[in-house]
Amino acid sequence: MQIENPKKSVPTVFIVDDDPAVRDAIRWLMEQVKLKAQVFSSADEFLASYVPGTRGCIILDIRMPGMSGLELQERLKASGTVIPIIVITGHGDVSIAVRAMKAGAVEFLQKPFNDQLLLDTVQSALSTYGTIWEQEARRQECSKNLASLTAREREVLNLMRTGKPNKVIASILKISVRTVEGHRATIMSKTGTRSLGELFEMLHTNS
Amino acid sequence: MPTKDLGSDISVRRLGSESRSDVCNLLFVSVPRNIAFHISKNLSKLHHIEFVVDGNHLAAKVEERPEAVDAVLLGTELSDPVGWAQRIHTMDKRLPIIILGTAAKCGQLRQDLMFSPFLGHEIVVWPTTDIDGLADVLADAAQRRQQRQRYQEAAMANAHVQIEVLPLLQPETAEYVQGLFDHEPIGVVATDPNGTTLTINRQARQILGLPEDGLIDTQLQKLFPKDERPRIDKLLALANHTNVRLPPELFEFPISKSRSFFVEVIASAFSHPGGRRGAMFVLQEVTLRVQAERQRTEAVVELRLIATALAALHNISAGRDDSLSEKVRDFLRLGCEQFGLPIGILSRIEGNKFTVLEAVSDNPNFFPGRVLKLNRTYCATAIDAAEPIAFEHAGATPWRDHSSYKDSRLEAYIGVRIVVGGDLFGTLCFMGNSPRRVTFSPAEREIVKLMARWIAGEFQRERAEAHMRKLSSAIEQAADSVVITDRSGIIEYVNPSFEALTGFKREEVTGDSAPFLQCDECLQSDLWEAIHEGADYRFLLSSQTKSGELYHQQMTVSPLRDDKGRTTHLIATGQDVTALIEAKEQDRKRQAELAHVARLSTLGGMVSGLAHELNQPLCAIMTYAQTCLRKMREGEARIEDLQHGLDQIVRQAQRADEIFVRIRNFSRKSQIRRQRTNIREIVETTLGFAQTEISHNNIKLELKFPKKQQLVYADGIQIQQVLLNLVRNSLDALAAVEREPRKLSIKVALESPKFTKLILSDNGCGCPPQELHRLFEPFFTTKEAGLGVGLSISEGIIEGHGGKLWLESSSPNGSTFCLTIPNWRSSRHADRES
């Protein structure tokens, strides 16, 4: 899966509601806080235009003609799409709320909702998912970097992970200490890490 | 015919008669062929028939040669035969003429003959009904004619000789006598002062019934019947002693015991120049005239009798103060007097029971109340005939064998049956123990019949009056109000129930327009239409009593028709249904309440859907408002932005309001108010309630309306309630199935000029067959949440509108409900909208 660089892309708030007024009102609110918003009148419409991996969150009405909000949620989950979903509904129906939360909704809001509450929920969803997305991005970058290491460099890295000093590594590999140091520098540079600690953390994340 | 040519004339005649002595010439004028044929068949070859087309030809023929004609037959097709006969007889008085006449005309023809001058004796009216005898009559007449001609020739010669041998006679006398001969049919007898006949002509012989020739008694009086001889002697004496012409005298010549013929005799004196005097008697047979006279006299007597009896009858029947039985007794007395009989009885006959109702009697056997056996009375015979039974002397006739004769020796009897209303009632009879000398005349029979008829009429009237009294007291005492009006609706009568109900007295309303005509116009037009067709018209009338209270009546207005089928009166009966109507009103109120509860219940069942629907605009409003506030707070509110938000807020508030109004209207407890309503609006408003549910459940909705706006006469809310109920049932039925697509269809169509039909169908689970019959039962439900009153109330509402609601079909593949609602018709409903 390809995820954009979180630092480069602005997250989008996807609003899926069959009621045009509600849709428009929420979009207006989002735009007020400088969030990019996109509206859909049905779950099908959303699925048709959504590019998996696009960062953002979904504000989803549960009761809609055609595919219901819960069904959409299940579809996304099944396809492994990682996107926070805020469920809004006119019904204070507990069973629907539980199903929605179980299916991984980040929040369940009852219409009409407090604007601040909605914004906070959106922000929090975006920020929570921002960390997730960043870690994920780093992990992906790291494994990419690791993949670029040569066999000798990978040998050196594995010995480094066991905490062996350069001398020991050189003697094990029957190479010079200087050569080991050269490999170390290349590894650091290839993985983009500045310290040993950083490198190890990355390896940990990627394992 | 001049006297001097007499001799030569005779010789000519003789020659003439000899030349054709063996042939009779008959002239038939306008005789129908079939009759002529029939006659000719019965005539010998010696009779020669000549057909003459009309009277003019006949006259010409006779004028030309009278002696060549022996008899004339005037046919039925000749108009004015008597006139033609007269004309012929002015030429030849001895020519026999037979006038054929139809049976109906014969009497009149005879009458005409009797009073026609210039007619000879040989004239007969013969009925066409007796054609068989006509040939003989014709032959006889022709033969007589020929004989007479021969005889006349001889008599002429004879007279001539007599005149010659009586030189004393004045020539005038001879001429006179000759004239008399010429002017038959007058019979002439001349006598000397002693009554010895000098001459007697053939006509006189015929009249007096003497042989045509041969010796006759020389004494005049011997020629007359014994009873009349003194009178003829007296007449002779008078003639001898006066010079004036004496008035005619009538002499009766008996033929048999009961028959006579009559001869009118005019006597006059004549004197010879030598001083000898004589008398001349002119004889004319006037039997027909006398008979007619006698008949006339009898008729006058009868008429007088009837007139007297009628006057008496009238006096009795018109007597106002008398009771019927008194009148009947008067009748009986009158009858007794009229018929000269001592016993008069009015009887009642039932089976073989003969009861004397009223009696005027000298006989102790007959008194009112006496019961006899019918078959032992003469009346047993009288009841079988419409005409009276009458006899004067039972003992002299087979009536002597009757048991009544044996029982009571009643000799004279006249009786007739009395029929009342088509049934035998009894008899009216008059009797006497002694024979009656005079025969019961037709007039007397008529009088008895008249009396019987009057009595029958009285009894019938009495029965009818009793019947009417019963009917009128029934109307007077009826619990229902009865109003009788003329055919335009003006009150002529009201009964006490009407007075009691309305508080108006009879005299206050008589002449007014009937209350049932104060109903609205469309009802009136229906009423008059029904009356015009002769039908009853039923309707509910709401009106006010004198004191202003409302009352309700179930009215029936019927036309009363005369025997020609014309409506003469209207009869309106009204049953007071005020209590019933009030109870119904109560019932209606309760029903309305129940319907209201049911509506609320329906709404209750839809709360979640409605809440969702309301939540949408609320949510939008709140969001817009908060965003506006946020913009203002953050100091970056641009006017256009705020305006957008506020516009949206207003729009969404309106949307919410519409939903509220819909709910409020639906749940409001209001008076039922039927009015002109667009059925499409009703359907669309109803669907507004269910829209969310329909769309969220992915139900495909199909709507079909007529192109033209369809107006119904209905209470919109109530119809919405019915529709919503049906829609909700469908939604529930659809929720129970997993099929795609789930469909709900509503079709509106014009069923008839009077009704709009609405068909609602779904492809839901339908109604279980075993529950179908209970579907419209109140408090029957298959749903956990339902009250079970939906369909029964819906049915009540639709029926209250005059329409129908029914389940057209139901299966596991869906169900279809239909309902009809009356159309709005300006002519019927405009007035009632209020």
Side-chain angles (χ1 to χ4, degrees):
Chain A
M1 191 171 29
Q2 199 65 37
I3 288 180
E4 299 167 49
N5 188 335
K7 284 169 186 167
K8 286 176 191 165
S9 66
V10 183
T12 308
V13 178
F14 300 102
I15 304 158
V16 186
D17 195 310
D18 61 322
D19 191 289
V22 173
R23 276 199 310 265
D24 184 66
I26 297 173
R27 187 187 61 190
W28 207 50
L29 175 64
M30 294 304 149
E31 283 167 359
Q32 168 61 25
V33 293
K34 308 288 187 276
L35 279 168
K36 191 176 158 194
Q38 220 179 325
V39 292
F40 303 93
S41 65
S42 71
D44 293 295
E45 199 186 317
F46 170 76
L47 277 182
S49 69
Y50 177 69
V51 179
T54 308
R55 293 178 62 182
C57 71
I58 305 174
I59 298 175
L60 180 61
D61 186 14
I62 287 294
R63 287 187 69 171
M64 283 185 297
M67 193 191 295
S68 75
L70 285 171
E71 279 178 85
L72 175 64
Q73 214 179 347
E74 276 153 21
R75 287 262 199 112
L76 291 173
K77 192 180 174 191
S79 67
T81 306
V82 180
I83 183 160
I85 295 174
I86 300 158
V87 169
I88 53 169
T89 178
H91 284 266
D93 190 329
V94 177
S95 69
I96 289 177
V98 169
R99 273 181 70 191
M101 294 311 279
K102 272 191 180 166
V106 293
E107 193 57 81
F108 182 91
L109 294 180
Q110 203 172 331
K111 290 180 187 173
F113 36 73
N114 180 285
D115 62 332
Q116 196 56 54
L117 184 61
L118 179 65
L119 289 176
D120 289 350
T121 308
V122 168
Q123 292 294 0
S124 123
L126 287 178
S127 63
T128 309
Y129 272 69
T131 317
I132 293 171
W133 288 319
E134 275 165 31
Q135 282 175 353
E136 176 68 13
R138 238 176 290 144
R139 190 186 61 83
Q140 284 188 10
E141 198 181 337
C142 169
S143 57
K144 192 173 78 187
N145 293 344
L146 287 177
S148 68
L149 295 181
T150 64
R152 179 59 82 184
E153 285 166 351
R154 221 170 284 175
E155 272 179 300
V156 174
L157 180 60
N158 283 338
L159 292 169
M160 280 169 70
R161 284 178 71 181
T162 56
K164 301 236 170 14
N166 287 355
K167 280 184 207 172
V168 178
I169 295 168
S171 77
I172 291 170
L173 296 175
K174 298 192 177 71
I175 53 173
S176 66
V177 173
R178 188 164 291 273
T179 307
V180 172
E181 282 173 349
H183 282 308
R184 271 182 78 145
T186 311
I187 289 167
M188 298 293 274
S189 121
K190 275 188 176 174
T191 60
T193 46
R194 289 176 297 264
S195 68
L196 211 54
E198 220 176 297
L199 177 65
F200 285 174
E201 193 193 327
M202 187 203 77
L203 285 175
H204 176 73
T205 325
N206 202 36
S207 62
Chain B
M1 197 174 294
T3 314
K4 50 190 172 191
D5 294 338
L6 203 61
S8 60
D9 192 48
I10 289 169
S11 65
V12 168
R13 284 189 183 208
R14 192 168 284 141
L15 282 171
S17 67
E18 272 168 6
S19 65
R20 53 177 188 88
S21 60
D22 44 356
V23 176
C24 290
N25 287 320
L26 311 177
L27 281 189
F28 280 24
V29 188
S30 303
V31 176
R33 287 279 152 180
N34 59 335
I35 293 178
F37 176 72
H38 197 82
I39 296 166
S40 67
K41 245 181 17 182
N42 293 322
L43 287 172
S44 73
K45 283 180 181 166
L46 293 175
H47 295 91
H48 173 253
I49 299 172
E50 192 177 342
F51 290 97
V52 179
V53 285
D54 58 21
N56 288 321
H57 284 82
L58 170 70
K61 278 235 177 263
V62 175
E63 195 167 27
E64 192 192 345
R65 277 189 70 193
E67 69 283 358
V69 182
D70 292 313
V72 174
L73 179 64
L74 301 181
T76 48
E77 288 163 16
L78 183 71
S79 64
D80 190 21
V82 175
W84 286 112
Q86 279 186 8
R87 191 163 160 197
I88 300 302
H89 274 191
T90 54
M91 292 183 275
D92 184 348
K93 245 183 180 162
R94 282 168 299 190
L95 181 56
I97 300 177
I98 296 173
I99 301 176
L100 258 182
T102 54
K105 273 195 163 176
C106 279
Q108 181 61 42
L109 285 169
R110 289 198 181 103
Q111 196 80 16
D112 290 349
L113 284 182
M114 209 182 295
F115 296 104
S116 299
F118 315 120
L119 276 176
H121 200 65
E122 281 279 358
I123 183 155
V124 172
V125 172
W126 197 264
T128 51
T129 48
D130 190 15
I131 293 301
D132 289 338
L134 188 53
D136 288 343
V137 171
L138 266 171
D140 286 353
Q143 202 185 349
R144 263 204 316 279
R145 159 83 161 169
Q146 289 193 343
Q147 281 179 356
R148 201 181 296 136
Q149 281 185 351
R150 276 182 226 125
Y151 170 78
Q152 193 187 1
E153 286 152 16
M156 279 295 187
N158 193 24
H160 207 70
V161 170
Q162 281 194 17
I163 290 166
E164 280 172 355
V165 299
L166 286 172
L168 291 178
L169 289 179
Q170 297 264 334
E172 294 83 31
T173 312
E175 268 185 43
Y176 182 53
V177 170
Q178 186 60 48
L180 286 176
F181 280 126
D182 285 344
H183 288 88
E184 278 189 292
I186 296 167
V188 180
V189 178
T191 68
D192 65 9
N194 297 323
T196 308
T197 53
L198 296 176
T199 63
I200 176 160
N201 74 348
R202 182 173 160 274
Q203 189 64 39
R205 282 171 185 268
Q206 271 189 355
I207 291 171
L208 295 172
L210 303 173
E212 282 198 8
D213 43 27
L215 291 174
I216 51 163
D217 207 311
T218 48
Q219 274 309 110
L220 176 67
Q221 60 152 276
K222 293 282 170 59
L223 303 178
F224 282 74
K226 217 174 187 173
D227 288 349
E228 301 284 26
R229 282 173 192 167
R231 282 178 61 216
I232 195 72
D233 282 345
K234 201 176 163 193
L235 198 59
L236 177 66
L238 276 172
N240 281 336
H241 290 95
T242 180
N243 279 326
V244 294
R245 202 178 154 95
L246 294 165
E249 293 232 5
L250 194 67
F251 290 85
E252 184 174 358
F253 288 70
I255 300 168
S256 68
K257 210 173 177 183
S258 58
R259 284 180 61 219
S260 300
F261 68 90
F262 295 89
V263 177
E264 193 181 68
V265 178
I266 302 169
S268 56
F270 73 104
S271 54
H272 303 285
R276 279 185 67 195
R277 291 178 67 93
M280 185 158 72
F281 299 88
V282 175
L283 310 181
Q284 197 163 13
E285 205 213 299
V286 290
T287 310
L288 283 175
R289 201 184 79 199
V290 169
Q291 277 173 354
E293 190 97 341
R294 284 207 174 159
Q295 278 172 8
R296 198 176 60 87
T297 316
E298 277 168 23
V300 167
V301 169
E302 288 226 324
L303 270 175
R304 257 192 214 121
L305 180 72
I306 291 182
T308 318
L310 281 178
L313 281 175
H314 175 76
N315 282 340
I316 295 168
S317 59
R320 289 183 168 259
D321 302 331
D322 296 342
S323 69
L324 180 57
S325 68
E326 278 172 44
K327 284 179 181 178
V328 169
R329 274 198 298 279
D330 286 345
F331 264 22
L332 294 174
R333 271 193 286 273
L334 173 71
C336 287
E337 205 174 295
Q338 194 75 42
F339 306 131
L341 296 170
I343 306 165
I345 287 174
L346 171 69
S347 75
R348 176 88 176 97
I349 291 169
E350 290 150 306
N352 194 30
K353 192 174 147 199
F354 178 96
T355 314
V356 177
L357 287 185
E358 295 292 345
V360 169
S361 170
D362 61 352
N363 186 325
N365 277 332
F366 302 114
F367 53 87
R370 174 81 201 272
V371 176
L372 296 165
K373 281 189 175 147
L374 174 64
N375 57 9
R376 301 203 71 83
T377 65
Y378 293 135
C379 291
T381 315
I383 62 170
D384 290 331
E387 291 301 316
I389 299 293
F391 44 86
E392 296 80 22
H393 191 178
T397 65
W399 285 103
R400 64 179 164 261
D401 299 328
H402 197 278
S403 41
S404 180
Y405 186 72
K406 290 172 185 160
D407 291 349
S408 326
R409 295 279 150 199
L410 290 164
E411 294 283 5
Y413 171 88
I414 183 165
V416 70
R417 68 182 180 189
I418 295 173
V419 175
V420 178
D423 299 320
L424 176 71
F425 176 85
T427 55
L428 174 70
C429 59
F430 298 93
M431 301 173 289
N433 283 97
S434 34
R436 190 176 193 249
R437 272 193 215 105
V438 195
T439 320
F440 286 107
S441 70
E444 285 171 324
R445 289 165 191 258
E446 283 304 316
I447 288 169
V448 173
K449 266 167 77 181
L450 209 61
M451 283 181 168
R453 222 172 289 156
W454 185 86
I455 290 171
E458 282 301 292
F459 277 116
Q460 191 147 9
R461 202 174 70 192
E462 198 163 73
R463 272 189 200 175
E465 274 174 5
H467 189 61
M468 283 306 291
R469 272 196 298 278
K470 205 157 64 190
L471 288 184
S472 73
S473 70
I475 288 178
E476 283 278 313
Q477 288 161 31
D480 289 356
S481 77
V482 177
V483 178
I484 300 177
T485 74
D486 68 7
R487 62 168 170 237
S488 67
I490 301 300
I491 295 177
E492 291 185 354
Y493 167 86
V494 296
N495 73 342
S497 284
F498 177 90
E499 295 179 327
L501 175 70
T502 63
F504 289 107
K505 291 282 155 213
R506 187 174 300 172
E507 50 277 14
E508 289 178 286
V509 290
T510 304
D512 288 355
S513 180
F516 60 83
L517 291 174
Q518 291 154 16
C519 55
D520 62 62
E521 273 177 27
C522 66
L523 207 62
Q524 276 213 42
S525 70
D526 286 359
L527 179 128
W528 287 114
E529 199 177 310
I531 296 294
H532 188 68
E533 285 167 7
D536 292 352
Y537 187 70
R538 289 165 198 280
F539 64 102
L540 193 69
L541 171 72
S542 300
S543 193
Q544 286 188 340
T545 65
K546 194 179 182 182
S547 55
E549 283 166 51
L550 196 64
Y551 69 88
H552 306 277
Q553 276 190 304
Q554 179 61 52
M555 299 294 297
T556 304
V557 181
S558 322
L560 191 67
R561 299 183 147 201
D562 64 11
D563 48 7
K564 285 177 186 140
R566 291 175 304 206
T567 300
T568 56
H569 291 83
L570 304 181
I571 299 182
T573 55
Q575 192 183 0
D576 183 10
V577 289
T578 307
L580 194 71
I581 293 291
E582 279 169 1
K584 268 193 182 165
E585 182 63 26
Q586 279 293 321
D587 202 43
R588 215 168 55 85
K589 273 185 191 159
R590 268 196 289 274
Q591 281 224 338
E593 271 167 33
L594 188 61
H596 179 237
V597 169
R599 273 207 300 281
L600 293 183
S601 155
T602 307
L603 270 185
M606 301 173 66
V607 155
S608 75
L610 290 172
H612 178 87
E613 206 186 338
L614 262 177
N615 228 342
Q616 301 287 52
L618 268 185
C619 176
I621 288 168
M622 196 135 160
T623 309
Y624 280 123
Q626 287 169 343
T627 309
C628 283
L629 285 171
R630 182 175 292 273
K631 281 177 188 287
M632 288 160 75
R633 242 189 347 257
E634 288 170 11
E636 50 182 74
R638 287 186 301 143
I639 292 293
E640 306 88 77
D641 266 2
L642 289 179
Q643 199 160 5
H644 170 73
L646 290 172
D647 278 347
Q648 287 298 324
I649 288 167
V650 170
R651 199 168 300 163
Q652 294 307 311
Q654 277 166 347
R655 182 178 152 198
D657 181 57
E658 280 164 21
I659 297 167
F660 269 120
V661 167
R662 200 168 68 211
I663 294 171
R664 198 170 52 227
N665 282 343
F666 190 72
S667 59
R668 184 186 288 154
K669 184 177 167 184
S670 60
Q671 283 281 53
I672 295 166
R673 188 163 162 253
R674 292 171 69 181
Q675 57 189 348
R676 180 170 69 163
T677 313
N678 186 349
I679 183 72
R680 184 173 188 143
E681 276 172 26
I682 297 179
V683 173
E684 283 172 349
T685 311
T686 307
L687 288 171
F689 285 107
Q691 196 60 55
T692 315
E693 200 167 345
I694 288 167
S695 63
H696 287 170
N697 287 308
N698 295 327
I699 291 163
K700 200 174 160 210
L701 181 66
E702 288 172 357
L703 290 177
K704 203 170 166 189
F705 296 101
K707 275 181 193 156
K708 210 178 138 210
Q709 165 175 281
Q710 191 55 42
L711 295 175
V712 293
Y713 183 64
D715 179 293
I717 297 299
Q718 285 207 319
I719 302 300
Q720 275 181 39
Q721 176 175 3
V722 172
L723 277 181
L724 189 56
N725 216 291
L726 295 175
V727 167
R728 283 219 52 78
N729 284 346
S730 282
L731 293 180
D732 290 343
L734 286 166
V737 292
E738 294 282 343
R739 60 168 70 105
E740 293 291 336
R742 288 183 288 184
K743 284 192 285 190
L744 172 66
S745 137
I746 297 175
K747 266 189 254 177
V748 175
L750 191 65
E751 157 96 340
S752 69
K754 288 184 176 175
F755 287 100
T756 290
K757 187 178 187 181
L758 195 143
I759 305 160
L760 186 141
S761 49
D762 63 61
N763 60 349
C765 64
C767 175
Q770 68 272 16
E771 315 282 18
L772 278 177
H773 67 285
R774 301 188 61 192
L775 211 54
F776 288 89
E777 206 173 278
F779 302 108
F780 169 77
T781 180
T782 55
K783 296 167 192 165
E784 283 173 28
L787 269 180
V789 292
L791 275 177
S792 73
I793 284 178
S794 297
E795 192 182 27
I797 288 172
I798 295 298
E799 283 175 1
H801 277 74
K804 273 192 285 185
L805 168 64
W806 70 97
L807 175 66
E808 178 84 16
S809 66
S810 177
S811 76
N813 295 323
S815 46
T816 300
F817 278 90
C818 292
L819 62 89
T820 54
I821 313 170
N823 292 331
W824 189 82
R825 284 182 286 163
S826 54
S827 59
R828 292 190 76 83
H829 302 130
D831 298 348
R832 285 192 240 174
E833 275 192 342
S834 52

